[in-house]
Amino acid sequence: MEKKHLKVAISDNDTADRAVPLSEIAFRAIRQKILRGEIVPGEKLRIEVLQREHSLSSSPLREALNRLVAEGLVTSDDHRGFRAANMSAADLNDITSYRLVIEPAALAQSVTNGTDEWEGHVVAAFHRLDRIDAKIGQNQNELNDEWTLRHKDFHMALVSAAPSSRLVAACSSLFDQAERYRRFSLMNRTKPRNSGAEHRRLMEAAVGRQPEVAAALLKEHIQLTAQNVLEIELPRAAR
């Protein structure tokens, strides 16, 4: 196994001098390219090509690709190797149907069980997201990696007090699988969307200890994202 480490910043909560395994660096780099559409759906991910692009050995790259398989962003076949997962309306509908069952349930449980500390965590996560919203301003089609990070942080803060760690992990996985579609919609949509107002209502219902209201708002939020994507022609898979 690869033992060498590099120093990079991970997130707002990490220190700049934290050593990060090469497999983690590879995972983030490939994941970002898939989410951004720089690696197109169905594109073959050849180890030898990735080695040249990222100056890494095969071991951390294979570990990263297997993690991406578990996230649903990459597929693996004994005969065809690794490929970026395809995008389709059927796949998005499948992801959305699971999200509509799991995430509102997790949020309702989180609101019911959340402590004052959890409440502060939700408000802080919303504030960080709201600040980046203000920074981006009216350019809603701007692709911003910091916004993406803070967006997920907010959604995960909402469900973080759910008593089942498996339920929270499922929310995280489904959110990541839907992220590529959300990004594609962001880059191609023509109709504006006030997601900031949607997030504020979610935050207010959560800290207001209204589990049913929060769950209903989250369902609407998820459904609107899917509707926006389905109005756009999805990219065809690479051969």
Side-chain angles (χ1 to χ4, degrees), residues 7-11 14-16 18 20 28:
K7 294 181 179 180
V8 298
I10 298 177
S11 70
D14 293 294
T15 59
R18 179 173 297 185
V20 179
R28 292 185 198 169

Side-chain angles (χ1 to χ4, degrees), residues 48-235:
E48 62 273 17
V49 174
L50 294 173
Q51 284 180 285
R52 290 195 299 270
E53 289 179 349
H54 300 283
S55 300
L56 294 170
S57 66
S58 62
S59 178
L61 287 168
R62 289 186 183 280
E63 185 176 340
L65 290 170
N66 281 315
R67 284 180 62 189
L68 290 165
V69 169
E71 277 201 0
L73 293 175
V74 168
T75 59
S76 176
D77 185 279
D78 289 340
H79 302 291
R80 303 180 69 188
F82 294 101
R83 288 180 179 270
N86 289 328
M87 294 175 70
S88 68
D91 181 56
L92 175 61
N93 284 329
D94 189 43
I95 294 169
T96 302
S97 66
Y98 274 93
R99 291 188 74 193
L100 290 172
V101 171
I102 290 174
E103 292 184 41
L107 177 55
Q109 292 179 25
S110 188
V111 171
T112 301
N113 290 279
T115 62
D116 289 345
E117 183 180 3
W118 164 82
E119 187 175 311
H121 183 39
V122 169
V123 172
F126 170 77
H127 179 64
R128 289 191 294 268
L129 178 59
D130 192 49
R131 286 185 65 185
I132 198 69
D133 271 332
K135 187 185 298 184
I136 293 173
Q138 297 302 312
N139 188 8
Q140 294 194 5
N141 283 33
E142 181 176 337
L143 199 60
N144 188 293
D145 292 325
E146 186 179 2
W147 189 93
T148 297
L149 176 64
R150 294 186 182 189
H151 182 221
K152 183 177 182 181
D153 284 347
F154 171 66
H155 276 266
M156 294 310 299
L158 286 170
V159 302
S160 62
S164 169
S165 59
R166 288 184 175 86
L167 186 60
V168 174
C171 291
S172 178
S173 176
L174 287 167
F175 190 94
D176 288 338
Q177 292 177 53
E179 176 61 18
R180 184 165 57 149
Y181 289 95
R182 189 201 65 78
R183 283 211 175 199
F184 179 77
S185 171
L186 181 67
M187 290 185 288
N188 293 278
R189 73 186 182 205
T190 57
K191 296 190 301 184
R193 178 181 180 184
N194 191 354
S195 60
E198 295 171 36
H199 292 137
R200 181 175 292 278
R201 287 193 293 270
L202 274 168
M203 181 271 294
E204 290 173 345
V207 301
R209 307 299 176 142
Q210 299 174 287
E212 293 182 0
V213 174
L217 287 171
L218 183 55
K219 284 184 178 181
E220 291 178 9
H221 186 65
I222 292 169
Q223 288 171 327
L224 184 54
T225 297
Q227 290 168 10
N228 285 344
V229 176
L230 293 173
E231 290 176 357
I232 304 167
E233 183 178 358
L234 292 170

